[in-house]
């Protein structure tokens, strides 16, 4: 059997549905809840709908698959891998698609295994229900290339990284720093703006600064200049924190920004980066930042 899922919840169902539409019919799955009186009905219904064979045991499932994709949960990823990977045979590929930390994926890669068994750290980089099997994934580890080669023909959007297991999941985690942190900055700023009655004007002002710029352009604008002007911006953020607190707004994000700026201000970045440092691209600025961290 070409692909067997461990865990046949929403994500596995939608991926299987998309693959079936592309002509892949050799699919199986094991889900410990398949026989549950409350949860099993939906699992069995979905499996029948997309032609996925449900196995009665975990062992029978992983023995049958060339590619074994784990989609259980981040909390159980390591435990499931420890129970499966040592039992696999040469040429089988274990793919962990859970949103687990890169350290967990790296630990899975170190689980003792038979010669020829491969592991792929797969980071799912979008919403599965809307994209199905075409949801973008970053792949790392020694099984990444084999997985990608086998499923490219079925329309999967797989990017193989030149990275060890954990590298793919690291991208997803570090992207979350921005994508989950940015809304918190908005909440903090917008709440204060509402209390002053200027929310729409604030958004318009942000638009004039940000709209039309690429992420690369923003990174180049923000990185070196923030380092160089950290002391002045720290003073400005002190007033921001005081204003937010006077309004009764939780200033946690602004306080964190202030603390980061204070750390940056301990260095003479004008001297370190040079006279044209404010024009330095973000890659060079980050290299200088890491080299000069205390």
């Amino acid at each position: 059997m070409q692909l067997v899922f461990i865990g046949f919840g929403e994500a596995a169902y939608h991926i299987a549905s998309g693959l079936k539409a592309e002509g892949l019919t050799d699919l199986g799955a094991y889900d410990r809840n398949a026989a549950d009186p409350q949860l099993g009905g939906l699992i069995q219904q979905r499996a029948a709908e997309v032609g996925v064979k449900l196995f009665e045991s975990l062992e029978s499932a992983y023995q049958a698959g060339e590619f074994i994709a784990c989609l259980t949960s981040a909390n159980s990823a390591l435990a499931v891998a420890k129970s499966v990977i040592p039992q696999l045979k040469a040429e089988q590929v274990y793919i962990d698609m859970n949103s687990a930390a890169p350290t967990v994926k790296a630990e899975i890669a170190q689980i003792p295994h038979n010669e020829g068994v491969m592991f792929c750290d797969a980071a799912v980089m979008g919403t599965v229900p809307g994209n199905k099997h075409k949801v973008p994934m970053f792949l790392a580890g020694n099984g990444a290339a084999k997985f990608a080669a086998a499923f490219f023909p079925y329309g999967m959007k797989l990017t193989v990284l030149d990275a060890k297991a954990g590298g793919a999941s690291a991208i997803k985690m570090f992207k979350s720093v921005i994508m989950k942190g940015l809304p918190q900055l908005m909440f903090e700023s917008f709440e204060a703006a509402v209390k002053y009655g200027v929310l729409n004007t604030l958004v318009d002002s942000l638009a004039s600064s940000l709209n039309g710029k690429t992420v690369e352009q923003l990174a180049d604008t923000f990185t070196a200049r923030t380092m160089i002007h950290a002391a002045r911006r720290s003073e400005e953020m002190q007033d921001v924190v005081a204003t937010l607190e006077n309004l009764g707004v939780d200033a946690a994000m602004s306080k964190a920004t202030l603390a980061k700026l204070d750390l940056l201000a301990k260095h003479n970045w004008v001297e370190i980066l040079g006279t044209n440092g404010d024009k330095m691209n973000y890659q060079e600025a980050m290299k200088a930042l890491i080299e000069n961290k205390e």
Side-chain angles (χ1 to χ4, degrees), residues 200-213:
N200 291 342
T201 305
L202 170 62
V203 171
D204 289 343
S205 180
L206 286 168
S208 68
S209 298
L210 303 177
N211 282 2
K213 294 182 174 65

Side-chain angles (χ1 to χ4, degrees), residues 47-161:
E49 176 189 330
V50 296
V52 169
K53 177 182 177 180
L54 283 178
F55 290 90
E56 294 184 359
S57 70
L58 176 61
E59 183 179 13
S60 61
Y62 65 66
Q63 286 178 345
E66 180 181 2
F67 296 91
I68 298 96
C70 183
L71 268 166
T72 52
S73 69
N75 291 336
S76 64
L78 183 58
V80 173
K82 284 181 176 179
S83 69
V84 173
I85 289 178
Q87 313 305 323
L88 300 181
K89 297 178 181 179
E91 300 305 315
Q92 285 185 290
V93 181
Y94 186 88
I95 306 134
D96 192 293
M97 295 184 181
N98 295 298
S99 297
T103 50
V104 171
K105 300 294 185 85
E107 190 172 351
I108 290 174
Q110 297 302 313
I111 293 172
H113 55 269
N114 293 317
E115 185 176 353
V117 173
M118 289 168 275
F119 173 62
C120 176
D121 160 26
V124 180
M125 302 301 294
T127 57
V128 178
N131 293 285
K132 296 188 176 182
H133 67 300
K134 293 186 178 181
V135 63
M137 296 187 195
F138 287 124
L139 310 179
N142 63 358
K146 182 175 180 179
F147 175 52
F151 289 90
F152 273 139
Y154 297 102
M156 293 191 77
K157 295 184 178 179
L158 308 172
T159 301
V160 178
L161 306 177

Side-chain angles (χ1 to χ4, degrees), residues 231-245 254 258 261-262:
R232 175 177 58 78
R233 294 182 180 183
S234 172
E235 293 176 359
E236 294 171 357
M237 288 307 298
Q238 290 176 30
D239 290 338
V240 169
V241 170
T243 301
L244 291 173
E245 291 185 331
S254 294
L258 173 58
L261 287 169
D262 285 343

